[in-house]
């Protein structure tokens, strides 16, 4: 291909008005190419005048020198400003393979140095492209400047020149993205834009008056904060980060991440048209790699990600910041200027349609189920939206799931009281090396957005909690049921008994049929032919020691060893939220069947509400009225007239319970009931007047839990964990049982301990029915 092909398009704007060409040239060779391009179409200009001004708009950190531009912006309103740029594409091999080692040494192939550029133009002219940004009249630019800053362009020619240069950089970036791809959309000249922002400067003036300082002094201090917090993404480092993410993920997981392309496209439209946040579930350090990798592979604009200070260490921090990472101080509640600057930075990104993304749980889930949302970052982003009067804000929940997770072994030991090691480059290298073992597939599922017409008032904590709750509920809804989650659920339900291959298949069939009948989210990759090659599907879990396989007897049997219960429970817990309502129904039915039939329905509903309240710190429920409707709908699948059974059919609720299949209460709630029992037993042992303190309670519960497990008074080590005991303490606190009180306080604590022991008994009843009585009472699933 000849270099002449690059000159074919006409850079001259239509019309007869004079033109000022802004040449975004990084060196004399690029400037010469652009001037030759303009000159090659001089005849088509029909005698119009054209001035050329060379600027280097490629490096945001150097800022813009407006001196040379000011003199070119004094013309009439009908003068046309036409930005031009030389764009370079990587060689085909580099596009397919990603950044190469030589690129790290020689530099970004999209931004070659002058000597490299000459060689590329001579040897690979197809990589050279001359692009023109959308031109505009000088009068229009003056009008936009006046509308944005409420100041005439002639009042501050230097500020106006910087404004024009930034506009040129933006339209050139848009033109180049048509060539390079939408994934390379990055914000430009952010610090300059913030320093020129009218609302930011008004806020600085107000703060200066409050603190007895000057706006200039505060702006100087704020500039240092901007340098620290503002990410500096570039095309090259986006490529590097995506390649690094792909490398880490491929070490243990299949290359293709399971995701719905239609959902990606729908999200693309949302992000393009509305201020957006992508909030994902957090189970492992790899989560922060899954979202950018999927979006990069789908040519999605780069989302800015909030990074915890714990990963801002040498190497990784450098790379993440250049791929859109925003590292903020751990604590800045007392620094008003820092908060002000961060708020306007976030507001700027949202206004320019750069989506934000972070884990709304704030920390990795150590139990597998969704953690309570953290409000901090959500509050700051919504405050920024409020300050900029953003409208139709879309918060998109994203669920990230895995067949197996390397971190789970660490979680299991961490929950027993062992501390977590500090992150560092050395730690990270060891972590990455530990990923090199088969762990199955990764799943990314996108939920329906939570849409806000406008941001709530900054001090409206109730609105904030409701928004976070909606996000969590939707994230749970789109979390897919995977093969490992169902296998661990079925085997834990039978434990300590092992199951034959036929029994495993039957358990999976029942659980899957139940989920399908209720149209729950089941992974699109779920292998429906599992019965034909169950051993192969269980292979990874067997190799990891999670599932045991014994084939020396007449039949092959599968089970979960006692020491692996905490690990297996993690995978079960990833889908436990789908089964909580059903578990509550089963427990409430057992209680209702053990009393008077005349009061059975009343007892049932009272117990449903009691169990909902008891586990309110573990699970997300629908509001009370909707929750009751869900309970009614579930039981109506087995008998449309179920509420009338106690009065019309002897043993009606007993028959209803026996008709329910599969039974799940024992596998769903036993861990939580046992953990709460440990905490309530501790409370029951205390004198009525003695207070309970959370940390001491958790510490003592770890010791008592271990003793009770050794005595086999609790079923497995999965019921021993810091988070479980902490939630148990919250339950006690919610019921007013942690503070020393009158003599009746001791009785109230004893009563709760008896209630939990009674729950454990009922769970054993349900387990017994599930293990021994199912064949006699099977009913077709509705």
């Amino acid at each position: 291909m000849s270099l002449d092909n690059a000159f074919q398009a006409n850079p001259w704007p239509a019309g007869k008005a004079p033109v000022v060409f802004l040449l975004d040239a990084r060196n004399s060779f690029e400037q010469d190419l652009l001037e030759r391009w303009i000159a090659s179409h001089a005849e088509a200009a029909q005698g119009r005048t054209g001035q050329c001004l060379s600027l280097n708009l490629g490096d945001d950190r150097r800022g813009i020198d407006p001196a040379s531009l000011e003199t070119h912006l004094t013309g009439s309103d009908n003068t046309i400003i036409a930005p031009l740029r030389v764009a370079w594409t990587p060689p085909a091999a580099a596009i397919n393979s990603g950044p190469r080692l030589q690129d790290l040494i020689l530099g970004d192939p999209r931004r070659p140095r002058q000597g490299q550029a000459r060689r590329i133009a001579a040897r690979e002219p197809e990589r050279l492209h001359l692009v023109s940004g959308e031109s505009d009249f000088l009068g229009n630019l003056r009008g936009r400047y006046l509308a944005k800053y409420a100041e005439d362009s002639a009042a501050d020619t230097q500020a106006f020149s910087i404004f024009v240069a930034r506009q040129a950089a933006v339209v050139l970036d848009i033109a180049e993205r048509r060539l390079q791809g939408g994934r390379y959309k990055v914000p430009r000249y952010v610090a300059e834009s913030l320093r020129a922002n009218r609302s930011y400067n008004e806020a600085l003036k107000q703060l200066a008056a409050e603190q007895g300082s000057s706006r200039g002094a505060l702006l100087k201090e704020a500039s240092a904060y901007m340098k620290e917090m503002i990410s500096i993404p570039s095309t090259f480092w986006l490529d590097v980060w995506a390649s690094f993410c792909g490398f880490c993920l491929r070490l243990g997981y299949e290359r293709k991440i399971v995701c719905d392309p239609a959902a990606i496209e729908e999200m693309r439209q949302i992000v393009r048209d509305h201020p957006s946040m992508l909030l994902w579930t957090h189970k492992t350090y790899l989560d922060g790699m899954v979202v950018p990798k999927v979006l990069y592979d789908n040519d999605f604009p780069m989302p800015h990600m909030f990074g915890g200070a714990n990963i801002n260490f040498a190497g990784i921090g450098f790379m993440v910041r250049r791929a859109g990472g925003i590292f903020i101080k751990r604590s800045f509640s007392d620094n008003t200027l820092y908060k002000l600057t961060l708020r306007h930075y976030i507001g700027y990104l949202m206004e320019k349609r750069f989506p934000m993304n972070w884990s709304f749980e704030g920390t990795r889930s150590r139990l597998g189920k969704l953690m309570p949302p953290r409000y901090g970052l959500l509050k700051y982003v919504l405050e920024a939206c409020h300050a900029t009067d953003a409208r139709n804000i879309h918060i998109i929940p994203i669920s990230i799931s895995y067949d197996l997770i390397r971190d789970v072994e660490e979680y299991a030991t961490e929950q027993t009281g062992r501390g977590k090691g500090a992150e560092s480059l050395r730690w990270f290298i060891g972590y990455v090396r530990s990923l090199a073992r088969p762990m199955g597939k990764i799943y990314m599922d996108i939920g329906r957005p939570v849409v806000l017409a406008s941001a709530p008032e900054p001090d409206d904590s109730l609105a904030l909690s409701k928004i976070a709750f909606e996000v969590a509920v939707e994230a749970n809804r789109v979390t897919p049921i995977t093969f490992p989650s169902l296998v661990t659920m079925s085997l834990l339900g039978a434990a300590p008994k092992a199951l034959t291959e036929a029994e495993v298949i039957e358990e999976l069939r029942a659980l899957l049929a139940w989920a399908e009948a209720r149209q729950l989210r089941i992974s699109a990759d779920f292998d429906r032919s599992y019965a034909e090659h169950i051993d192969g599907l269980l292979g990874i879990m067997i190799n990891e020691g999670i599932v045991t396989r014994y084939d020396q007897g007449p039949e092959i049997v599968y089970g979960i060893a006692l020491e692996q219960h905490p690990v297996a429970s993690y995978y079960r817990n990833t889908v436990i939220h789908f089964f909580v309502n059903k578990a509550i129904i089963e427990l409430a039915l057992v209680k209702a069947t053990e009393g008077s039939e005349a009061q059975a329905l009343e007892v049932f509903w009272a117990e449903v509400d009691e169990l909902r309240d008891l586990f309110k710190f573990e699970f997300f429920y629908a509001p009370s009225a909707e929750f009751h409707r869900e309970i009614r709908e579930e039981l109506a699948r087995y008998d449309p007239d179920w509420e009338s059974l106690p009065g019309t059919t002897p043993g009606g609720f007993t028959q209803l319970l026996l008709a329910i299949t599969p039974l799940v209460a024992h596998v769903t709630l036993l861990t939580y009931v046992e953990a709460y029992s440990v905490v309530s037993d501790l409370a029951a042992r205390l004198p009525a007047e003695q207070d309970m303190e959370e940390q001491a309670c958790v510490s003592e519960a770890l010791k008592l839990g271990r003793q009770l497990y050794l005595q086999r008074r609790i079923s497995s080590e999965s019921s021993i964990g810091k988070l479980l005991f902490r939630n148990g303490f919250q339950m006690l606190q919610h019921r007013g049982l942690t503070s020393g009180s009158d003599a009746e306080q001791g009785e109230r604590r004893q009563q709760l301990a008896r209630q939990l022991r009674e729950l454990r008994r009922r769970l054993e009843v349900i387990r017994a029915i599930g293990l021994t009585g199912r064949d006699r009472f099977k009913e077709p699933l509705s």
Side-chain angles (χ1 to χ4, degrees):
M1 180 182 291
S2 167
L3 186 60
D4 293 338
N5 291 329
F7 293 94
Q8 287 183 354
N10 184 1
W12 287 82
K16 298 182 179 180
V19 181
V20 173
F21 289 103
L22 299 186
L23 311 183
D24 182 13
R26 295 179 305 115
N27 51 58
S28 59
F29 178 64
E30 289 189 350
Q31 181 176 344
D32 179 61
L33 284 172
L34 294 172
E35 289 175 347
R36 286 167 56 194
W37 186 27
I38 295 168
S40 68
H41 292 272
E43 292 183 6
Q46 299 178 339
R48 296 159 69 191
T49 60
Q51 302 179 61
C52 292
L53 172 65
S54 181
L55 295 171
N56 183 358
L57 302 176
D59 190 347
D60 297 4
R61 288 167 292 178
R62 291 185 178 180
I64 298 170
D65 180 9
S68 58
L69 182 56
E70 287 183 63
T71 57
H72 289 77
L73 300 180
T74 57
S76 64
D77 282 352
N78 72 338
T79 300
I80 298 176
I81 307 298
L84 305 179
R85 173 185 290 170
V86 181
W88 306 86
T89 51
I95 293 175
N96 295 329
S97 66
R100 301 159 296 176
L101 180 60
Q102 69 186 62
D103 297 331
L104 290 172
I105 299 171
L106 299 177
D108 185 355
R110 292 186 178 85
R111 299 288 184 267
R113 292 189 286 270
Q114 181 161 295
Q116 291 176 287
R118 289 185 185 278
R119 287 192 294 273
I120 293 170
R123 301 172 187 175
E124 303 174 90
E126 69 279 3
R127 291 179 53 194
L128 186 156
H129 309 269
L130 304 177
V131 297
S132 57
E134 184 178 355
S135 59
D136 203 354
F137 289 103
L138 186 55
N140 290 341
L141 289 166
R142 287 168 174 157
R144 293 215 302 274
Y145 180 82
L146 176 64
K148 188 172 183 64
Y149 299 110
E151 185 177 70
D152 189 273
S153 59
D156 190 340
T157 56
Q158 183 180 69
F160 178 61
S161 299
I162 293 174
F163 170 78
V164 172
R166 290 204 309 266
Q167 296 297 302
V170 169
V171 296
L172 284 170
D173 286 349
I174 292 172
E176 187 173 353
R177 281 201 300 275
R178 299 190 188 105
L179 178 70
Q180 307 279 15
R183 61 173 63 91
Y184 299 115
K185 179 184 178 183
V186 298
R188 302 293 308 279
Y189 295 103
V190 178
E192 284 84 351
S193 298
L194 287 179
R195 282 192 283 265
N197 184 276
R198 182 168 55 183
S199 64
Y200 181 59
N201 278 283
E202 289 173 354
L204 284 179
K205 288 178 183 177
Q206 182 178 345
L207 182 60
E210 293 172 359
Q211 295 185 350
S213 181
S214 67
R215 188 191 71 85
L218 290 182
L219 188 58
K220 183 177 180 181
E221 182 182 348
S223 294
Y225 294 148
M226 291 178 193
K227 187 175 182 181
E228 177 184 305
M229 73 174 63
I230 293 175
S231 67
I232 46 176
S234 67
T235 56
F236 177 68
W237 286 105
L238 287 174
D239 288 344
V240 171
W241 177 241
S243 295
F244 181 72
C245 291
F247 166 76
C248 292
L249 296 174
R250 288 194 302 271
L251 284 173
Y253 296 99
E254 294 183 12
R255 180 177 291 268
K256 180 175 171 33
I257 296 173
V258 180
C259 189
D260 181 5
I264 293 284
E265 288 308 307
E266 184 177 348
M267 185 166 68
R268 189 195 308 275
Q269 298 299 319
I270 291 171
V271 167
R272 186 183 64 187
D273 298 334
H274 305 286
S276 304
M277 297 167 238
L278 317 181
L279 304 191
W280 35 269
T281 59
H282 197 10
K283 294 183 175 65
T284 168
Y285 290 108
L286 296 179
D287 298 326
M289 297 181 174
V290 172
V291 174
K293 176 59 176 168
V294 169
L295 298 186
Y296 180 93
D297 288 347
N298 285 274
D299 200 28
F300 197 101
M302 176 212 70
H304 279 70
M305 49 191 163
F306 287 106
N310 60 318
I311 63 168
N312 188 16
F313 47 77
I316 294 300
F318 175 91
M319 184 161 43
V320 169
R321 188 159 182 256
R322 285 157 178 76
I326 301 172
F327 294 108
I328 57 178
K329 294 180 183 293
R330 278 186 176 274
S331 176
F332 50 86
S333 57
D334 297 331
N335 191 332
T336 306
L337 179 59
Y338 187 92
K339 287 194 292 186
L340 177 68
T341 304
L342 176 62
R343 186 180 301 125
H344 278 81
Y345 173 39
I346 294 171
Y348 173 85
L349 293 175
M350 298 289 280
E351 180 186 359
K352 299 300 182 183
R353 300 296 184 264
F354 289 101
M356 316 296 297
N357 89 107
W358 72 92
S359 158
F360 66 94
E361 296 167 275
T363 185
R364 293 171 294 158
S365 170
R366 266 63 171 184
L367 297 179
K369 65 184 180 65
L370 202 64
M371 298 281 285
R374 297 279 182 90
Y375 299 147
L377 285 174
L378 182 60
K379 176 178 171 63
Y380 283 119
V381 174
L382 288 177
E383 283 181 357
C385 291
H386 185 272
T388 56
D389 197 28
R391 299 289 169 170
N392 290 320
I393 304 156
H394 283 57
I395 307 175
I396 305 173
I398 296 176
S399 173
I400 304 174
S401 310
Y402 307 80
D403 280 344
L404 298 182
I405 298 175
R406 169 253 181 264
D407 308 46
V408 175
E409 299 162 12
E410 171 194 320
Y411 300 157
T413 54
E414 188 183 306
Q415 286 306 298
T416 63
R418 194 189 74 176
K420 182 173 80 75
E423 289 88 352
S424 64
L425 181 59
R426 180 178 180 181
W427 162 85
F428 186 76
I429 292 171
Y431 178 81
V432 170
R433 291 178 62 185
S434 73
L435 297 173
R437 63 199 207 207
M439 289 182 285
K441 299 173 183 175
I442 302 174
Y443 311 83
M444 186 177 121
D445 290 79
I446 302 168
R448 293 186 296 255
V450 175
V451 182
L452 310 178
S454 60
E457 293 294 326
D459 58 353
D460 192 344
S461 57
L462 180 60
L464 184 68
S465 63
K466 286 183 176 179
I467 292 166
F469 178 83
E470 287 185 57
V471 171
V473 169
E474 180 62 13
N476 262 342
R477 188 189 70 82
V478 298
T479 297
I481 293 175
T482 62
F483 183 80
S485 65
L486 280 197
V487 164
T488 51
M489 188 162 194
S490 63
L491 292 180
L492 284 169
K497 173 186 172 182
L499 297 179
T500 66
E501 187 170 300
E503 288 172 330
V504 172
I505 291 169
E506 177 58 21
E507 288 286 334
L508 289 174
R509 186 207 68 80
L511 288 169
L512 187 61
W514 183 87
E516 288 176 330
R518 285 143 188 84
Q519 297 183 317
L520 301 182
R521 178 68 65 99
I522 299 169
S523 168
D525 231 36
F526 196 104
D527 191 343
R528 295 305 205 278
S529 62
Y530 55 85
E532 299 171 12
H533 44 275
I534 188 77
D535 205 38
L537 288 170
L538 286 172
I540 296 176
M541 301 181 78
I542 292 171
N543 292 339
E544 287 291 306
I546 301 169
V547 173
T548 60
R549 177 183 184 273
Y550 183 77
D551 59 3
Q552 300 300 304
E555 294 182 273
I556 299 174
V557 296
Y558 300 93
I560 294 175
L562 281 175
E563 65 273 10
Q564 287 297 318
H565 275 215
V567 174
S569 294
Y570 184 96
Y571 298 109
R572 173 205 59 196
N573 288 346
T574 60
V575 296
I576 198 174
H577 53 278
F578 290 127
F579 299 92
V580 170
N581 283 8
K582 190 172 188 300
I584 289 174
I585 287 171
E586 294 167 15
L587 279 170
L589 282 176
V590 172
K591 183 165 185 176
T593 61
E594 295 177 342
S596 164
E597 288 214 36
Q599 296 180 322
L601 187 60
E602 181 182 343
V603 169
F604 171 82
W605 281 115
E607 184 65 5
V608 163
D609 289 335
E610 169 63 15
L611 292 171
R612 182 180 190 268
D613 184 74
L614 183 68
F615 298 113
K616 67 188 297 182
F617 298 105
E618 301 292 351
F619 307 109
F620 297 93
Y621 304 104
S624 294
E626 185 180 345
F627 174 72
H628 283 186
R629 178 183 58 77
E630 292 170 352
I631 298 295
R632 288 189 175 93
E633 288 179 355
E634 175 62 23
L635 283 169
R637 291 175 176 272
Y638 299 96
D639 191 323
D641 299 319
W642 68 271
E643 289 188 86
S644 66
L645 286 177
T648 60
T649 306
F653 270 8
T654 300
Q655 294 302 314
L656 181 62
L657 175 65
L658 294 175
I660 291 177
T661 183
L663 292 170
V664 299
H666 56 298
V667 69
T668 303
L669 295 178
L670 181 60
T671 293
Y672 305 95
V673 172
E674 289 185 338
Y676 282 20
S677 286
V678 173
V679 176
S680 69
D681 283 352
L682 281 175
R685 297 177 185 203
L686 293 177
E689 67 278 5
Q690 185 171 335
D691 291 348
M692 295 184 70
E693 189 272 325
E694 181 176 349
Q695 189 54 48
C697 175
V698 171
S699 179
E700 290 302 311
L702 288 170
K703 298 172 187 175
L704 178 59
R706 184 65 184 169
Q707 174 194 313
L708 294 176
Y709 170 65
L710 292 173
Q711 293 175 294
R712 294 302 184 260
R713 290 169 59 187
I714 60 176
S715 62
S716 81
E717 290 181 295
S718 63
S719 302
I720 306 170
K722 291 189 295 184
L723 285 174
L724 290 168
F725 294 147
R726 194 169 293 134
N727 288 349
F729 179 87
Q730 283 188 280
M731 179 270 295
L732 291 175
Q733 195 172 47
H734 169 67
R735 294 176 175 230
L737 298 177
T738 56
S739 299
S741 182
D742 51 47
E744 294 182 1
Q745 181 72 306
E747 174 55 31
R748 286 190 288 268
R749 290 171 174 174
Q750 293 282 354
Q751 184 178 348
L752 178 62
R754 289 193 294 270
Q755 177 187 352
L756 287 162
R757 285 195 291 270
E758 169 61 17
L759 272 179
R760 287 164 59 186
R761 183 194 64 81
R762 274 188 264 153
L763 288 172
E764 288 304 318
V765 170
I766 292 169
R767 180 201 295 274
I769 296 172
L771 291 178
T772 63
R774 179 167 294 154
D775 290 339
R776 291 178 52 206
F777 299 107
K778 278 185 183 171
E779 296 285 344
L781 287 168
S782 56

